[in-house]
Amino acid sequence: MTKVTAQLSVSLDGFYAGPQFTGDGNWIDSAEAAGFFRVTRWITHAMAWRERLGFEGGEQDTNSDIVAESFGAAGAYVMGRRMADGGEVPWGDEPPFRAPVFVVTHRPRQTLLRGGGTSFTYVTDGVASAVEQARAVAGGKDVAVAGGGSLVRQVLKAGLLDELELHVVPVVLGTGLRLLDADLDLGDKEAIELTPTRVIPTPEVTHIRYAVGGRAPLVLDDRGSGGGPTVTH
């Protein structure tokens, strides 16, 4: 059964990159890039990632196994326009996805075909449409929300996400682009409940997979009386 999944590397304080780069110059030299490359270092050191991009070397370890597992599970991808634009040149003629990618954007563009089975289809009628188009071609495999963080929040906010995997890196960035921010439109007494289904620790990163349970009211517990949560009407 097709699931909609997302995963992101984050710092211990919840940032997936440094402060957003908005000026002129080279993004690679920015604080945003510095934070991003720190929390994704475990990926770029993984043999499975390097092989996927046609590079030599890398570590064959638990982290590499998780990268390989993620690629193997995805039948289609959903991606934000900023990520797609930023990766178009570095990914080259054979991007690592090897599956259809649906890019959420406000700017139309013809489908971009690349080698290895990757295509980029630009979807201008919203994230729900992109997810449905990806689901239709995923062949029963997962629809992977590839990022960035703002798109993952949109999918979570819309109630479309079945599974979230956070790769928590033991570093504190202090500031930057935060994954779970205040734009989820949660009520004052409302939360999105998740259930951990897998935890894999390594020295470089802890991989935590959650099943997303959806929105639920926040209720006061019994404060020790033994009667269970207090529900008021």
Side-chain angles (χ1 to χ4, degrees), residues 15-105:
F15 298 104
Y16 62 90
Q20 185 169 354
F21 175 67
T22 57
D24 298 327
N26 190 346
W27 179 82
I28 293 293
D29 296 327
S30 70
E32 179 182 341
F36 172 77
F37 287 123
R38 173 60 189 92
V39 298
T40 58
R41 182 188 301 167
W42 70 273
I43 302 174
T44 56
H45 285 183
M47 182 179 291
W49 173 257
R50 299 182 69 82
E51 286 180 345
R52 196 84 173 192
L53 289 172
F55 301 147
E56 296 181 354
E59 299 292 332
Q60 180 54 61
D61 55 12
T62 298
N63 294 329
S64 183
D65 291 342
I66 286 174
V67 171
E69 176 190 60
S70 299
F71 278 127
Y77 294 84
V78 176
M79 184 180 297
R81 180 65 183 255
R82 189 166 183 254
M83 181 177 176
D85 286 351
E88 184 172 332
V89 172
W91 291 328
D93 293 332
E94 292 195 19
F97 307 103
R98 302 179 189 175
V101 180
F102 295 85
V103 181
V104 180
T105 180

Side-chain angles (χ1 to χ4, degrees), residues 159-201:
L160 299 172
L161 193 63
D162 300 308
E163 183 179 281
L164 175 65
E165 187 158 12
L166 297 182
H167 309 287
V168 183
V169 178
V171 63
V172 175
L173 295 183
T175 186
L177 296 175
R178 188 184 293 278
L179 173 57
L180 300 175
D181 217 331
D183 57 357
L184 291 171
D185 288 348
L186 291 168
D188 290 342
K189 292 186 177 181
E190 184 182 40
I192 296 174
E193 297 283 352
L194 301 93
T195 303
T197 60
R198 186 177 80 171
V199 179
I200 301 177

